[in-house]
Each structure stands twice: as structure tokens, then as C-alpha cells.
Amino acid sequence: MKNNRLSRFAIPYVIWMALFVVAPIIMVVIYAFSASVGGFTLDNFAKMGTYTVVFTRSFKLALIATAICVLIGYPVSYKMSKEGPRFQRLAMVLIMLPMWMNFLLRTYSWMAILENNGLLNQLFRKIGLIALYNNLFGTDISFFRMINTQGAVVLGMVYNYLPFMILPIYSVIVKLDHSLIEAARDLGANSVQVFRRVILPLSLPGVLSGITMVFVPSVSTFAISKMLGGGTEMLLGDLIEQQYMGGAYNPYLGAAISLVMMVIVVICMVVMNRFGEGEEQAVMM
């Protein structure tokens, strides 16, 4: 009886999920397999072949940004876990502080930094770096082109999504059982062996969670690529927005692209979860 009473509190959540999660997905599936004149069709998926470059670019930049976040986020998380509570609280505030600012404002700030007459290029002129470059390579440039490039897009992804990599890894490492580390040292393992055989495998769930939380928004972003890529580096998010909001209005094609992207992301998540379970079983053995 008590469980039945408590289950009533889940009814608003179920209704919310049905209206704003399940129903939109069903609509996307229906549109993806429908033609503008009605009826079932697979033409929407056939037309996606013309956007192979966009798919390749989206996954390439998302993978690069995710790899950079892992290379930066893991050492930061590991260092935080080794420090005292006061340092950890301060570091957590510094990591979360940019997240309190609007996403678009943070990206706009990078536009001001990276543009041709932005803060970085002004600094390079004052310290003579641009003049030195011209003398070494015989060029006559007045600025380094940083905005409207793939590098700027990746930088925007890393800056905006790095906290999503640090926090899961840190939350796992800080909760590790230190008796396992002490046991490994008692058995003669050095610091490198302890990290490779104990800490890294046990922290893998946090790494996989961070990879998922960074890769999924990176591969589907459109604001970062539009603002820092100048519209020249179109990603999947830009392509989908174009089909729904742009001049090339075709919600059926947009739904097909969205459905394929959702399937790919789900497959990636399943593979990473399987890999994490395999590593945990290997450690337990």
C-alpha cells in the first residue's frame, strides 16, 4: 500500500516525460519517414549522402574536443583529489564559476579575444610576435587568423564543456578506497604501477561519463560553430537548424538527420558503457 501511495508522486514526472521527451521523439521518427506530400518514404535518408562532409566534420571536431578535454580534465581531477578539502572547494568554485554565466556570453567573449583585431592579435603586435613571423617567413600579415576556423570551434567546445569532463572524473577519484592503493604499495608497486593498475581502471567510469557528457553536446552544437566558425564550418547542429529555421526549409530531412544522429549517439553510449563494465570486471578479477 505504501509503495502504491508513493508511486502517485511519479505521475507528474511520467506525464512530463510523455509530453516533452517521448512525444517529440515519435514526431521526429514520423517526419523522418514521411514525404512532404505524405506517405512513407526513405528519400530523406538518401538525401543525407550529400552532407557526408558535414557529418565527418562534426564527428572529427567533437572527437578532437573530447580528447583534449580528457587530456586536460584527468590531470586536473587527479590533482584536485590529492589536495585538501579547502583547495578542493576553491577549485570547484573556479571550475563552476564560468558556468554561472550565460553560454552565449561566454562564447561571445571568445569572439572578442580571437577576432582579427581582438585581444590576442593586439597583444601579438605589441610584443612583436607578428613582426617576427613576417621576418622569418617573408610574409606581410597584420594579424593571425584565429576566428572562423576549425581550431576556434574546437577551442569553444573545450572551454564550454571541460567542466563536464572534470567533475565526473573528480567525483569518482575522490571516492576511491585508499586501502586498495595502500595494499598495492605494500605489494611493491611503484607510483606508476599504482596509477596504471589501480587508479586508472577504477576511475574509468568517471572518464566514460565525462566523454559522453562532452561528446554528445559537441557533436550536436550549433551556436559555437556559428559564432566561432563564422558559418563556414557547418556542423550537424547547424544543418538541422537550417532545415527547420533557415531558407532551405525541409523539416522531413531535418528529422531524418536528427534521427540518425540520435541513433549514432546512443550506439556510442552503449559501446562506452560496455567497455566500462569490461574494465570493472577485469579489475575485480
Side-chain angles (χ1 to χ4, degrees), residues 72-133:
I72 297 175
Y74 198 98
V76 172
S77 303
Y78 184 76
K79 176 65 176 177
M80 285 175 55
S81 66
K82 296 299 181 182
E83 299 296 331
R86 184 175 180 181
F87 179 89
Q88 292 181 13
R89 288 193 296 268
L90 178 61
M92 189 67 66
V93 171
L94 293 177
I95 292 171
M96 295 299 297
L97 192 60
M99 304 297 293
W100 299 344
M101 188 185 303
N102 184 270
F103 175 86
L104 293 178
L105 291 178
R106 300 200 306 269
T107 309
Y108 270 120
S109 66
W110 276 108
M111 293 178 64
I113 294 172
L114 299 177
E115 64 184 8
N116 297 338
N117 196 34
L119 297 178
L120 273 181
N121 274 310
Q122 292 181 22
L123 175 63
F124 294 155
R125 292 193 196 100
K126 290 181 179 180
I127 65 177
L129 185 59
I130 294 179
L132 177 62
Y133 181 87

Side-chain angles (χ1 to χ4, degrees), residues 74 78 168-169 172-173 176-177 180-181 184 191-209 272-285:
Y74 198 98
Y78 184 76
I169 299 176
V172 171
I173 295 179
L176 292 180
D177 188 355
L180 297 176
I181 300 175
S191 298
V192 175
Q193 291 173 328
V194 170
F195 176 79
R196 185 171 60 88
R197 301 295 298 272
V198 179
I199 298 176
L200 182 59
L202 292 177
S203 63
L204 194 60
V207 175
L208 295 178
S209 177
M272 286 188 290
N273 288 335
R274 292 284 185 180
F275 179 74
E277 291 175 0
E279 288 291 334
E280 288 181 356
Q281 291 175 1
V283 172
M284 294 299 293
M285 293 176 63

Side-chain angles (χ1 to χ4, degrees), residues 12-85:
Y13 176 75
V14 173
I15 295 175
W16 176 276
M17 290 286 292
L19 290 177
F20 298 105
V21 177
V22 179
I25 292 178
I26 294 175
M27 291 179 62
V28 167
V29 174
I30 293 174
Y31 267 72
F33 291 97
S34 301
S36 58
V37 295
F40 178 84
T41 182
L42 295 176
D43 290 342
N44 297 320
F45 296 93
K47 294 178 182 177
M48 289 169 49
T50 59
Y51 300 104
T52 303
V53 175
V54 179
F55 273 86
T56 303
R57 183 187 301 125
S58 299
F59 281 90
K60 180 187 74 173
L61 297 185
L63 288 172
I64 293 173
T66 304
I68 295 174
C69 285
V70 172
L71 294 176
I72 297 175
Y74 198 98
V76 172
S77 303
Y78 184 76
K79 176 65 176 177
M80 285 175 55
S81 66
K82 296 299 181 182
E83 299 296 331

Side-chain angles (χ1 to χ4, degrees), residues 221-234:
T221 185
F222 66 93
I224 295 175
S225 56
K226 181 178 293 185
M227 297 167 68
L228 297 181
T232 60
E233 304 295 340
M234 178 179 288

